[in-house]
Amino acid sequence: MCDAFPRVEVGEADFAALCEALKVSESVRERAWKTYESLSAADGALACSTKKKETWGVCIFIVAIDQDEVTFTFTELLKSINMSVCTFFQFLKEVDVNMDTVSTKVDSTASRLKKKYDVLFALYHKFERTCGLIYLEQPSSEISAELSSILVLKNYWITFLLAKGKVLQVEDDLVISFQLLLCVLDYFIKLSPPAMLKEPYKSSVSAVTVNGSARTPRRGQNRSSRTAKQLDTDTKIIEILCKEHDCNLDEVKNVYFTSFIPFLNSASILASNGLPEVEVILKQYDELYVKNKDIDARLFLNHDETLQPDVRACSQLERTPLKNNPDEEINIILPQTPVRAAMNNIQQLIMILNSATDKPSDTLIKYFNNCTVNPKDSILKRVESFDHIFKKKFAEAVGQGWAETGSQRYKLGVRLYYRVMESMLKSEEERLSVQNFSKLLNDNIFHTSLLACAVEVVMATYGRNASQSDNTSAETDLSFPWILNVFDLKAFDFYKVIESFIRAEPSLTREMIKHLEHCEHRIMESLAWQSGSPLFDRIKESKEREGQTDQPEPTSTPNMPFQHNHTAADLYLSPVKSPKKKASGPPPSATSPPDAQPAVTPQTQKVQKSTSLSLFYKKVYLLAYRRLHTLFLHLLSEHPDLEPLIWTLFQHTLQNEYELMRDRHLDQIMMCSMYGICKVKNVDLQFKTIVSAYKELCNTNQETFKRVLIREEKYDSIIVFYNLVFMQKLKTNILQYASSRPPTLSPIPHIPRSPYQFSNSPRRVPAGNNIYISPLKSPYKFSDGFQSPTKMTPRSRILVSIGESFGTYEKFQKINQMMCNSEYQLKRCAEAGAAAPKPLKRLRFDIEGTDEADGSKHLPQESKFQQKLAEMTSTRTRMQKQKLNDGNDTSASEEK
C-alpha cells in the first residue's frame, strides 16, 4: 500500500525536476507540494507511483492558475506528465475530493481550454476529411516536392490557426471558425496546380487560370480593389465548398473579404508565388501559442497522443443501428459531426426564414393600423436602433472585423421577430375576437423581449459548440445571457415571452426549443433573482394587493394543475397595482389587460392578480421539485418519508424567505434544505456527499456550491452559507421538524406534460407495451429542401424499430407475443362474450370505431392507432388458432 506522505528523496527530486522543466516559481512549487500532500492524505492512491507524476502536474496547474504565475503552456504541461487533454480534465475532477481543491478560477480556465480543444478537434478532422476530397493522394510526377500533400496540409492548417488566432477574439465559436477555414481552403486551392486536384476543383481552378486571376504574385496587392469580374471568378471555388458543406455563401464571402483577406495583407506571410512562407507562419504561430499559454494545435498534424480523444467519451456519442447482415440494404442515419450538425441547423433556420422579410408584412401593417395608437414608427425605430447596438457589441465580443457578420445574424433575428409577432397576433385575434392590440403593440418591454428572443434563437443556432455533440451544455462567450446585456433587458421580463414564442413558431427545431427551455430554467434558478430584478418589486406589490406581510400571492397552490394557456399579452399586460377606487367605464377591450374584470361595486370587486408572477412561481416550484426529486433519488431513496419534509422546507423558503434567493441560486437553497432536514432527523448525510451527487446532475456548475454569497460582496462555500446565513434565518422553522407538532406539509407540485412539443421525439402508444412511434429522420442535407415522401423509397417511407436490430425468427416471435398480450388487454372488454373465433372477413378501416371482422365496438378511450393495432392482432390471432385447429384435425385423422 502506498504511503500517503511520500517524503523520499527520489520523489522530491522528480517533483523538483518537473518544476524545473516547467520553470515554475518557488512560491508555486511550495504551494503545489502542500496541495499534493493534502490530496494524498485524503486519497492515498494519488501518491502511488503510477499516479504520482500526474498528481504533481495537476497540483502545479491549479496553483499556477490561482496565483497568476503560469510559466508554461498547457501542452508543455501535458507533455511533461504524459497525459492527454481529455484525461487531464477528467483527473482534475477526480482530485477535487473535498470540493475545495479546485477554485472557480481554475474551473473557468479548464473550461475555456476544454472548449477550445473541442472546437479544434472537430475542425481538424473536418479539415483532414475535406482535403482528402480535394487533393489526389498520388499526384503526377510533374508536381514539385514542395507541393506534396503533406506539406500542403501543414501549410493550410498552420495558416488557418494563425488567422483564427489573429482575427478571432472568441476561441470557441465553431461556425465562424469553420467559415474561416473554408476561406483558407479556397485561397490555397486557387493556388494549387490542377494536376493535384480532384473534380470539381480541378476544372474550376483550370478556368480561373485561363482567366488569369490566380497564381499571380500577390505580395503587396490590395485585393479589395479587384474588379467585379475578378471577384466573380474568384468565388467559384468558395461556391463549391459552401455547397458541399451546407454553408451560407454570402456569410462565407463576407468572412473572406472582410476578415481573411485583410489578415493576409497585414500579416506579411506571403511569398512571391502567393503562398505563405512556412518558416514565417511557424514563427508567428509559435509566438501566438506561447503568449496564450494554451494548446499547440500544430500537433494535430502529427496525431499527437496529447490531443487524442478519450475513447470512453467517444463511445457515448451518437450511435447508429447495427445491421444483421452487411449486405442488407437499409437506410442508416449516420451520426453527425459537430460541424455537420451546426451547418444543418443553420440551413434549416435560413430555410424557415426564406419566406420572411426584414420589414413588417402587409398583415402586420393591418394590425398596426387597427391600433388606437399606431406602433409602426416606434417598432421600426427600435429595430434600427438595436441594429447599431448589436453590431457594436458583436464586434466587441468577436473582433472588430466581424461587425458585418453580426449585422447579418441580427437581420435574420429581425425576420424571425416579425414572423413570430404576426403569428402571436393571429392567435390573439382568434382567442379574443378583436383586432385592436394597441396596448400590447405599444409596450416597449414586450417588443424588446420578443426581438431579443428571436436574435437569441439565431445566435444559439450559429453558436453550437463542438462539445454539444455529446448532449452536454457548453457555454460560449456569446451564450445566453449575453443577449440580455446587449438589449439591456431584465431576465424576468425576457422569461415572459419564451413560452409564447415557442408556441407561435412551430418550425423551431428540437435543439432550439430545448435551448429556450434551458434559458427559461437559467432565469428561474438565478437570473431573475439578481439584485435590481423587477421580480422582487412584483412580489412586494403582490403582498400589498393581498394585504399580507408574509406570503406572496402565487405560492399558496403549488399542487394546482398547471395550465399552459397563458399568452405574451397576459404576462406583459398583467396589472401591477390593484385599483383603489370604484371601477367604472366600458367592459375591457383589446387595449385593456387581458385578465381585467368588468366594472363592479367595491363590495364585490376582486383584487387583480399578477399573471406573470403567478405563472413564474408555479414554474419555479415545478423546476425546484424536479431537481429536488432527482437529487433525493440519488441520496435518500431509502428514506422516502424525508422527501415531503425537505420539499416543505424548500417551498417555505421560496415562499416566505425569498430574500435568501437574492443574488443566489435555486440549487443552493435545495441542498441546504436537504442537509437541514437530514440533520434534524438524525440521518447521516454529509454536505460533501450532497455536493458530490449534485455534481453528477445535468447542467450543474461547480460555482453553485463553491461560490455562494454570504453577505455583500463576500463569497464562500455552500457549507459556510448554510452555517452563517441559511441556518440562522431558518433555525426555528427547521427545529419544528423534530418536534411532536411539525409544520403542515406542502403539497407536492402537480407535474404537467411539457408545453414544448418536439416533433422528432418518439411518442409512446398508450397501453402499447413499450411501443413507440417516431418520425423518420431524413439522411438528406437541408440544402436539398425539406423532405417529402416523394424523396423516399417505398422501403424507407415506412421503417419499423422495436428498440434493437432484428430480423431473426426468435425476435419476431417475441414481437408477436407482445402484440398478442396487447391485444388481450385492449380487446378483453369488447370481446368478453366471444365464445369461438369468428369467420375471417376482409378488414375495413374506413368505419371509425367498428371492426368489420367481428362487429365489435372499440373502447372510446382507444386511439385510432390502438384500434388498428387491435384489429390486426385480433385477425392474426384467429388465423393462428384456426391454423392450429386445422393441424390438430389433420393429426387426429392420421391417428385414426
Side-chain angles (χ1 to χ4, degrees), residues 325-344:
N325 185 344
D327 298 324
E328 181 182 356
E329 182 182 354
I330 186 171
N331 280 331
I332 294 182
I333 312 303
L334 296 176
Q336 291 185 322
T337 65
V339 174
R340 170 62 67 191
M343 294 302 109
N344 279 353

Side-chain angles (χ1 to χ4, degrees), residues 660 664 672 675 687 708-712 714-731 734:
L660 285 176
R664 297 189 180 99
C672 288
Y675 182 76
F687 228 129
V708 189
L709 178 67
I710 306 301
R711 52 182 177 269
E712 187 175 354
K714 178 175 173 55
Y715 294 83
D716 212 314
S717 70
I718 191 168
I719 300 174
V720 176
F721 167 73
Y722 176 84
N723 290 325
L724 298 185
V725 182
F726 188 86
M727 187 61 183
Q728 300 303 317
K729 192 75 174 177
L730 291 161
K731 184 176 182 179
I734 293 174

Side-chain angles (χ1 to χ4, degrees), residues 24 41 90 165 207 245 412 437 461 479 519 533 574 668 750 863 893:
V24 300
Q90 184 60 38
H245 297 287
L412 287 175
F437 300 104
T461 302
S479 292
C519 293
S533 170
S574 180
Q668 294 165 354
H750 173 76
S863 67
S893 61

Side-chain angles (χ1 to χ4, degrees), residues 174-175 337-347 461-462 464:
L174 181 65
V175 174
T337 65
V339 174
R340 170 62 67 191
M343 294 302 109
N344 279 353
N345 283 340
I346 292 169
Q347 283 300 310
T461 302
Y462 277 86
R464 179 187 175 93

Side-chain angles (χ1 to χ4, degrees), residues 486-498:
V486 174
F487 284 80
D488 192 22
L489 191 62
K490 298 296 184 183
F492 181 71
D493 291 324
F494 183 83
Y495 118 87
K496 299 176 188 177
V497 83
I498 293 176

Side-chain angles (χ1 to χ4, degrees), residues 586-783:
S589 67
T591 60
S592 302
D595 51 357
Q597 301 293 327
V600 291
T601 62
Q603 288 75 16
T604 60
Q605 182 179 13
K606 289 185 178 181
V607 177
Q608 293 178 320
K609 295 183 178 181
S610 171
T611 305
S612 60
L613 181 61
S614 177
L615 179 63
F616 179 82
Y617 251 100
K618 287 179 180 178
K619 287 193 172 188
V620 167
Y621 282 155
L622 290 174
L623 179 64
Y625 178 72
R626 283 195 181 106
R627 292 192 176 177
L628 172 63
H629 184 66
T630 303
L631 187 62
F632 184 88
L633 292 179
H634 276 73
L635 295 169
L636 295 167
S637 57
E638 296 179 357
H639 301 275
D641 55 310
L642 293 184
E643 185 181 32
L645 302 182
I646 298 170
W647 168 244
T648 299
L649 175 59
F650 191 9
Q651 191 264 342
H652 167 83
T653 306
L654 295 174
Q655 173 179 326
N656 298 304
E657 305 294 345
Y658 55 87
E659 278 292 335
L660 285 176
M661 279 293 297
R662 188 183 292 271
D663 295 321
R664 297 189 180 99
H665 196 287
L666 184 70
D667 294 348
Q668 294 165 354
I669 307 300
M670 172 185 70
M671 288 185 277
C672 288
S673 300
M674 179 174 286
Y675 182 76
I677 293 297
C678 289
K679 195 82 172 173
V680 80
K681 285 295 185 179
N682 297 316
V683 175
D684 185 20
L685 182 65
Q686 297 181 352
F687 228 129
K688 172 184 171 182
T689 307
I690 296 175
V691 170
S692 296
Y694 175 77
K695 283 203 306 180
E696 302 304 316
L697 302 183
C698 296
N699 298 320
T700 58
N701 191 315
Q702 295 197 44
E703 188 167 332
T704 303
F705 53 83
K706 288 185 176 181
R707 189 173 186 272
V708 189
L709 178 67
I710 306 301
R711 52 182 177 269
E712 187 175 354
E713 298 184 359
K714 178 175 173 55
Y715 294 83
D716 212 314
S717 70
I718 191 168
I719 300 174
V720 176
F721 167 73
Y722 176 84
N723 290 325
L724 298 185
V725 182
F726 188 86
M727 187 61 183
Q728 300 303 317
K729 192 75 174 177
L730 291 161
K731 184 176 182 179
T732 303
N733 183 272
I734 293 174
L735 291 177
Q736 289 179 6
Y737 291 89
S739 68
S740 57
R741 299 180 63 184
T744 304
L745 296 179
S746 297
I748 300 298
H750 173 76
I751 305 298
R753 183 179 179 181
S754 172
Y756 310 125
Q757 295 300 314
F758 308 128
S759 58
N760 291 328
S761 298
R763 295 186 180 181
R764 181 169 180 165
V765 178
N769 278 323
N770 290 328
I771 297 177
Y772 292 80
I773 58 174
S774 177
L776 179 65
K777 296 181 180 179
S778 172
Y780 297 102
K781 299 176 185 177
F782 284 115
S783 58

Side-chain angles (χ1 to χ4, degrees), residues 766-832:
N769 278 323
N770 290 328
I771 297 177
Y772 292 80
I773 58 174
S774 177
L776 179 65
K777 296 181 180 179
S778 172
Y780 297 102
K781 299 176 185 177
F782 284 115
S783 58
D784 295 332
F786 287 120
Q787 299 311 304
S788 65
T790 59
K791 290 193 176 183
M792 305 176 190
T793 65
R795 179 180 180 81
S796 66
R797 285 184 65 177
I798 303 177
L799 299 178
V800 181
S801 176
I802 315 293
E804 58 178 323
S805 73
F806 62 96
T808 62
Y809 171 79
E810 292 80 8
K811 289 179 180 177
F812 276 112
Q813 283 292 93
K814 290 181 180 179
I815 297 171
N816 284 337
Q817 183 180 3
M818 179 183 69
M819 302 293 270
C820 289
N821 290 339
S822 174
E823 189 277 332
Y824 172 75
Q825 294 175 358
L826 293 168
K827 303 286 287 182
R828 61 183 177 177
C829 295
E831 297 182 349

